[in-house]
Amino acid sequence: APQHSAAQWSGMASSPPTAEMAAASVGATLNINVGILGHVDSGKTSLSRALSSTASTNAFDKNPQSKERGITLDLGFSSFLTSLPAQLAGGAYSQMQVTLVDCPGHASLIRTIIGGAQIIDLMLLVIDVTKGIQTQTAECLVIGEILNDTLIVVLNKTDMLPEAGREEKLSKMKARIRKTLAATKFADAPMVAIAARPGGAESAASDASGGAAAVGVSALVDELKARVALPERRHDGPLHFAIDHCFPIKGQGTVLTGTVLSGSLKIGQEIEFPELKQTRKIKSMQMFRKPVQSATQGDRLGVCVTQLDAKALERGIACTPGYISTVSCALVAVRHIRFFKTACKTGAKFHVTVGHATVMGTATFFGPPGAAAAEAERQAAVEGKDEAARKAAQAARALAVARAPLPTSFA
């Protein structure tokens, strides 16, 4: 794991303020969490780097294993400040901070991707324009449909297309992607063409300045601002803080970084860790290297507590004492994802992900008479199955209804 020093935490308060820090002290800042998802090696981390002005302790693949393997292995967080979009002007906020959640793209890290997607307000789906939609691109699209309502498609690596005929190839790729999106709720999602790292890693390595400047980023920021809606957030209510990283700082305590999903935080407040059955008091807090006294729903920050073993909690939850309890079973409403072709049967084992935690669970499915057949019929209609399949589903539904016992009373 990356090494962290006390200077990275307490030293920020005495550091000379940057222009962005000075701006952040004037009026309230609206934080918007934007997820960057896509297939491995589509340029997600390069895009995060091109957009960001402030990096967290775990941004841009700082993990030694990420550097060694050349791919993103964990969630990375960074941010930039921008003016408030026109549709949000005149309210309680004077500017907007965009927190970027850089998600891995490898198939084996799907649970990490799901965890990242659960804390975002808007999603950027990054696609390598030379390859189009790949396996994890499609998986990220499915996750986005479940957990998000706003999507922007980012066509990256446009510099890799031959200049002669570039626009024609770009138009054809857009048409192919639009055809795929037509079957989703993102049918009208905007597309922005960029080159986050012109020339790729080799160009950056050979250039002392880090390579050529990114192309199209300004247009992407403009599109992002145009699509932002004011999230429904409340300052009151119980605290639910999703922890994604935990590490010790010598002489300071243990730092927990994460996102406030509900409620608020302030220095001196007692918080509980349900999995550990422990409570601790908040010593200090920082939001992207800026010390803060409080934070509210939607904010991303680091929280420092004392006398907590960092090794006991890598990811997890902090909450108002007594608000969240651990359970061994739960009743939930589920729906079948149309791309999942395997039957969901009682007794089958599934990975169950809540926040950043994933456990193995055994499912028992039940519902009103004919519900399964009705769902099969609906799926057949959605996927354009043949007439015989639709009639078979209808027959199965009718049989299930006929076998159901008559009600003993009527309302």
Side-chain angles (χ1 to χ4, degrees), residues 199-222:
E202 293 181 1
S203 174
S206 62
D207 191 333
S209 64
V215 177
V217 170
S218 296
L220 177 58
V221 172
D222 290 341

Side-chain angles (χ1 to χ4, degrees), residues 37-42 44 104-108 110 113 125-128 131-143 180 339:
L37 288 79
H39 192 85
V40 63
D41 201 32
S42 57
K44 300 182 296 299
H106 198 277
S108 62
I110 191 69
I113 300 171
L125 182 64
V126 183
I127 298 176
D128 183 339
K131 298 177 180 177
I133 292 181
Q134 298 169 271
T135 305
Q136 273 64 63
T137 315
E139 289 185 352
C140 291
L141 190 55
V142 172
I143 293 170
T180 300
F339 299 106

Side-chain angles (χ1 to χ4, degrees), residues 95-383:
Q95 62 180 351
M96 185 170 72
Q97 174 180 271
V98 178
T99 295
L100 301 172
V101 185
D102 180 15
C103 297
H106 198 277
S108 62
L109 301 169
I110 191 69
R111 283 171 283 177
T112 303
I113 300 171
I114 292 172
Q118 290 185 68
I119 61 175
I120 64 176
D121 303 302
L122 185 148
M123 173 175 160
L124 301 181
L125 182 64
V126 183
I127 298 176
D128 183 339
V129 74
T130 66
K131 298 177 180 177
I133 292 181
Q134 298 169 271
T135 305
Q136 273 64 63
T137 315
E139 289 185 352
C140 291
L141 190 55
V142 172
I143 293 170
E145 270 206 290
I146 298 170
L147 299 173
N148 205 256
D149 292 322
T150 307
L151 174 79
I152 298 175
V153 176
V154 181
L155 300 177
N156 194 19
K157 302 188 181 182
T158 54
D159 58 301
M160 303 302 287
L161 296 174
E163 194 166 350
R166 178 177 295 174
E167 289 302 319
E168 181 183 353
K169 291 184 178 181
L170 192 57
S171 295
K172 287 182 179 179
M173 180 58 71
K174 285 183 177 180
R176 286 170 54 190
I177 294 171
R178 185 68 65 193
K179 188 175 180 180
T180 300
L181 294 177
T184 74
K185 67 179 181 181
F186 302 125
D188 299 321
M191 299 185 193
V192 181
I194 70 162
R197 197 177 188 179
E202 293 181 1
S203 174
S206 62
D207 191 333
S209 64
V215 177
V217 170
S218 296
L220 177 58
V221 172
D222 290 341
E223 187 63 54
L224 190 154
K225 291 170 67 174
R227 298 284 166 170
V228 165
L230 187 65
E232 292 184 14
R233 292 174 179 168
R234 297 179 58 182
H235 299 187
D236 57 353
L239 169 69
H240 182 183
F241 182 58
I243 301 167
D244 48 62
H245 293 99
C246 180
F247 52 88
I249 296 286
K250 188 175 181 179
Q252 297 292 320
T254 296
V255 174
L256 316 161
T257 63
T259 305
V260 183
L261 299 184
S262 67
S264 59
L265 284 165
K266 63 181 180 180
I267 293 177
Q269 178 179 338
E270 275 205 347
I271 57 176
E272 180 184 14
F273 304 97
E275 295 143 295
L276 304 180
K277 304 289 192 290
Q278 297 179 20
T279 59
R280 294 290 186 272
K281 188 175 289 187
I282 297 175
K283 178 183 177 182
S284 61
M285 302 192 303
Q286 287 191 15
M287 195 177 296
F288 285 106
R289 305 180 182 238
K290 177 181 179 294
V292 294
Q293 296 294 314
S294 62
T296 188
Q297 183 181 15
D299 286 338
R300 172 166 180 81
L301 72 157
V303 174
C304 184
V305 299
T306 57
Q307 298 181 337
L308 180 71
D309 184 5
K311 295 179 181 178
L313 188 72
E314 182 180 1
R315 302 187 194 276
I317 292 169
C319 64
T320 300
Y323 175 52
I324 296 175
S325 58
T326 55
V327 297
S328 58
C329 61
L331 184 65
V332 298
V334 299
R335 65 181 179 88
H336 191 281
I337 298 173
R338 64 178 180 272
F339 299 106
F340 187 72
K341 302 303 181 183
T342 306
C344 297
K345 298 181 179 180
T346 289
K349 292 185 180 294
F350 293 89
H351 284 110
V352 181
T353 299
V354 179
H356 298 294
T358 299
V359 297
M360 188 69 78
T362 302
T364 300
F365 297 102
F366 59 92
E375 176 63 13
E377 182 182 343
R378 188 189 71 80
Q379 289 293 335
V382 169
E383 296 178 21

Side-chain angles (χ1 to χ4, degrees), residues 40-41 45 61 63-73:
V40 63
D41 201 32
T45 301
D61 295 342
N63 189 303
Q65 291 185 5
S66 292
K67 292 181 178 180
E68 182 181 340
R69 297 177 60 181
I71 60 173
T72 301
L73 297 175

